[in-house]
Every structure is written in structure tokens, then in C-alpha cells.
Amino acid sequence: MSNSVPVITLDGPSGVGKGTIAWHLATKLGWHLLDSGALYRLLALASKQQQVALDDEQGLAQLASQMDVSFRSGDESCPVYPLLNGVAVGDEIRNENCGNRASQIARYPGVRSALLGLQHGFVSLPGLVADGRDMGTVVFPQAELKIFLSASPEARAQRRYKQLRDKGIDASLPRLSREIVERDERDRNRAIAPLIPASDAIDIDTTTLDIEGVLARVMAAVQQRGL
Ligand code: DC
């Protein structure tokens, strides 16, 4: 990782809108984008394809260290299009099933450390916007600016529901609400790299804000830091 490349981190729980905000921010600044959740989702998919069990930490870590991942830049509705071992992966990693599987394998220290180098590899001039759960706390602790986004579970379930329906993916709101609460629990309470704001992060509660409102606050912080 180069110290001279500026990094902005955006962390927060599932459905808070990190991906959309990160995409707008990276596009405005002309910086690179790391969707770290996509890496955990790709590993979830690869483990399913290769029949590595969800409780096989060593097998999962090995798979993570062998994964060949690259991103094609996307758009507002899908910030990045990932390629796994050179093959484009479609919406199959964006469904809730894959998200839940990703959250389960993300508990393992071996998996997280296997993905660390891959994440650092995204640092490149003129700068990187990285979104996830532990970007500001573990992966990029020296980041120039750290943002932590939050929103009520109800608002996040509604947003996720709309996002999935807009993509033509079938979804049930009550089930999504339940899964979001379960995933929050797991991501917040795991022993390693839990979902918590970095001590020097700026907190933005997005419950009553639209995308423009959140972006305006993030951009104000970016300008204040002279980025
Ligand atoms: O952001 P997402 O919903 O695509 O992430 C899917 C899961 O991956 C999430 O529930 C937990 C895990 N994850 C993680 O542990 N650390 C990250 N930096 C990003 C995602």
C-alpha cells in the first residue's frame, strides 16, 4: 500500500446506501472504487461452486487466497461489475442469500487476512474510495477521511427492497427486515473486525436523508480535508 495515495473509507451496515454514495463520490473525484463487500460475496459464490463448507475456515481461507478478482467500473445502480477468475459475475452475488453467506464466512480471521492484500492492491493514484464494514478500522486505518453511515433497520430494509425490485430481483420486505437485523447482529458482534465506527470517523445518520443530502455532507467533509 502506498502512503502517498489518498484513501476515503465509507463503512456502515447492510442497506445503508454505502455502495451508491461510494460510487457517486469516486465518480465526482475521479478516484478508484473498492466494493469490499463484493469480495466477500465472490468468495461466498466461489465456495458454493467449489463445495467448500461454510464452517471450513481453512478451506475458505485457501480459496480466498487463490481467487483472481477484478472489477469493471459500473454505474449508480451497480457500482462495480466483478470478474471471478476472469469470468463476469452477474446479479447472482447481489441476492440476499449470497449476502448472508458472505456475512457468515466473513467471521473467520483466516478469510479476512487472506483478503487483506487483495484489498490493499486497489490503492492506486489518484485515490481510492473504499466501502465496507472495516475499511476505516482495519484495512485502511491511515485513511485521510473516514465516514460511517447509519440508518434505522426499517429504512434500510425499505431501501434494499426497492434496490432489489428495481433490478428485477424477487424480494419480500418482512423477510428482508428479518435478515438485515440478523446480518447486523452477526457483523457487529463477531470477534474480529466487527462493524463499528473508527474512533476518528464522521458519523452520518441517513435515515431521513436522500442520496443528495448524504452526498452533500460527505462532500463538505472531503472539501474540509482538502481532498
Ligand atoms: O456490503 P455487502 O452487503 O456487500 O457485504 C456482504 C457481507 O460481507 C457483509 O454482511 C459482511 C461482509 N463484509 C465484511 O465482513 N467486511 C467488509 N469490509 C465488507 C463486507
Side-chain angles (χ1 to χ4, degrees), residues 7-227:
V7 175
I8 298 175
T9 60
L10 277 171
D11 287 304
S14 174
V16 80
K18 300 180 300 284
T20 308
I21 298 298
W23 180 83
H24 277 287
L25 184 57
T27 304
K28 265 181 189 287
L29 296 171
W31 288 12
H32 301 279
L33 180 60
L34 166 61
D35 171 2
S36 63
L39 301 181
Y40 290 91
R41 286 171 182 264
L42 286 170
L43 181 60
L45 177 68
S47 65
K48 202 169 171 189
Q49 286 171 344
Q50 303 198 21
Q51 297 178 0
V52 178
L54 280 181
D55 58 0
D56 177 2
E57 177 172 3
Q58 217 184 340
L60 290 166
Q62 195 180 354
L63 194 58
S65 64
Q66 290 164 349
M67 270 198 321
D68 169 16
V69 174
S70 55
F71 286 159
R72 266 199 216 123
S73 53
D75 51 35
E76 183 178 357
S77 70
C78 185
V80 296
Y81 289 100
L83 286 92
L84 178 60
N85 303 322
V87 180
V89 176
D91 278 338
E92 57 203 305
I93 63 155
R94 299 292 172 194
N95 62 44
E96 292 308 291
N97 193 327
C98 193
N100 289 327
R101 200 175 161 92
S103 164
Q104 289 178 57
I105 62 182
R107 288 176 293 172
Y108 296 123
V111 166
R112 302 200 74 86
S113 60
L115 291 178
L116 208 53
L118 193 57
Q119 295 174 85
H120 289 159
F122 280 82
V123 176
S124 172
L125 283 168
L128 179 72
V129 176
D131 87 68
R133 305 289 188 290
D134 61 341
M135 297 295 97
T137 48
V138 175
V139 183
F140 302 113
Q142 311 300 339
E144 274 68 16
L145 174 63
K146 300 177 184 178
I147 307 277
F148 192 89
L149 300 177
S150 59
S152 70
E154 296 76 25
R156 289 186 283 126
Q158 281 286 356
R159 284 179 200 166
R160 184 67 103 194
Y161 181 69
K162 184 172 180 315
Q163 208 177 36
L164 292 170
R165 295 301 291 249
D166 286 351
K167 283 188 187 166
I169 301 175
D170 207 19
S172 132
L173 187 57
R175 186 166 163 196
L176 269 180
S177 303
R178 229 178 21 247
E179 287 177 350
I180 276 196
V181 171
E182 272 171 24
R183 188 125 69 97
D184 280 1
E185 276 287 306
R186 204 181 304 118
D187 292 347
R188 287 203 165 102
N189 295 319
R190 66 182 173 221
I192 179 165
L195 170 66
I196 40 158
S199 57
D200 50 350
I202 296 175
D203 284 294
I204 304 177
D205 183 346
T206 73
T207 306
T208 59
L209 296 173
D210 59 9
I211 291 172
E212 285 70 31
V214 180
L215 206 52
R217 292 190 188 196
V218 173
M219 284 312 291
V222 168
Q223 273 147 20
Q224 208 178 21
R225 301 280 160 103
L227 295 167

